[in-house]
Amino acid sequence: MLNSIILFILAGIAEIGGGYLVWIWLREGKPYVYGIVGAIVLVIYGVIPTFQKFPSFGRVYAAYGGIFVFLSILWGWGIDKKTPDVFDFIGGVVCLVGVSIILWAPRH
């Protein structure tokens, strides 16, 4: 379970970080190297989830979506310096509960 959580976090950081680099290249006029590095990081993001042991692509990506939401809130707080409000945190926790249900609910 710890391995799965680490992979989800790494994938989330890669997607958010890569997207952020492309964002600041195009939206804030940073040098094109930001866009190139961002694109490379986004490709790495696409590879990381393949190391998950869960057999279902859809389940892995659905669960990742919830983790992405929570990590995006933390990224905005830490990198963009936009303090989340209580509803951001509530929504993030709801997403993490959903992730737990998707991944670890007992199935037949």
Side-chain angles (χ1 to χ4, degrees):
M1 182 161 62
L2 181 60
N3 187 51
S4 292
I5 293 169
I6 290 169
L7 287 171
F8 278 122
I9 291 171
L10 287 175
I13 291 170
E15 184 181 9
I16 297 163
Y20 183 74
L21 289 172
V22 172
W23 175 279
I24 62 174
W25 164 52
L26 293 174
R27 301 275 302 249
E28 297 179 13
K30 296 289 186 183
Y32 71 91
V33 72
Y34 282 74
I36 292 171
V37 172
I40 292 167
V41 172
L42 287 168
V43 169
I44 293 168
Y45 147 71
V47 172
I48 294 169
T50 67
F51 296 112
Q52 289 287 359
K53 300 297 183 205
F54 300 101
S56 169
F57 173 86
R59 191 170 289 148
V60 166
Y61 274 79
Y64 166 70
I67 292 169
F68 173 83
V69 169
F70 191 78
L71 289 176
S72 295
I73 292 167
L74 296 179
W75 184 279
W77 192 10
I79 303 299
D80 281 339
K81 306 298 183 215
K82 306 293 184 199
T83 304
D85 63 22
V86 69
F87 299 107
D88 294 322
F89 284 115
I90 291 170
V93 169
V94 167
C95 288
L96 293 179
V97 169
V99 166
S100 298
I101 293 168
I102 289 168
L103 292 179
W104 296 297
R107 294 190 165 83
H108 303 314

